Amino acid sequence: MAPAVILLHGDDNVVVCCRTVEAGEHIRVEGADIVAAQRVALGHKLARRDLSTGDKVIKYGASIGSMTADIRAGGWVHMHNMKSDYIGAHLRDAVSG
């Protein structure tokens, strides 16, 4: 079975799913156990630790956005609870066209 997640950089506070992760699945990352709060699809992010509203989301060792809601470790991090600090979500379709 493929590894559940990949940690792209040691400073990251999220990990990326290498396959679909099921709710309740225990995942070991750098010696810490993360429990997936819900089913999360391949390529999506899980919080590596508790994150609060306004916290920067760190992926690749760099900020990719900010949390818009609090989330516990193991929670799904995506556009429903984070925002890009660079492109407004309403503009994504227009610029990615």
Side-chain angles (χ1 to χ4, degrees):
M1 179 179 272
V5 299
I6 186 170
L7 176 63
L8 297 171
H9 189 280
D11 292 338
D12 292 356
N13 56 18
V14 296
V15 291
V16 179
C17 295
C18 298
R19 60 172 171 77
T20 297
V21 172
E22 298 299 333
E25 188 171 339
H26 289 254
I27 303 160
R28 197 92 173 137
V29 179
E30 299 281 304
D33 195 37
I34 298 171
V35 180
Q38 64 196 92
R39 188 173 202 256
V40 179
L42 165 74
H44 287 248
K45 298 174 291 301
L46 286 175
R48 189 172 168 199
R49 62 173 178 81
D50 293 351
L51 298 171
S52 299
T53 301
D55 283 353
K56 296 297 182 186
V57 177
I58 308 299
K59 182 178 173 187
Y60 315 109
S63 173
I64 63 165
S66 299
M67 294 300 298
T68 59
D70 296 346
I71 191 170
R72 303 285 309 218
W76 178 35
V77 177
H78 198 55
M79 299 311 293
H80 65 286
N81 57 14
M82 73 162 282
K83 67 175 183 73
S84 171
D85 291 336
Y86 309 103
I87 285 183
H90 65 284
L91 297 176
R92 288 185 192 279
D93 289 339
V95 296
S96 64

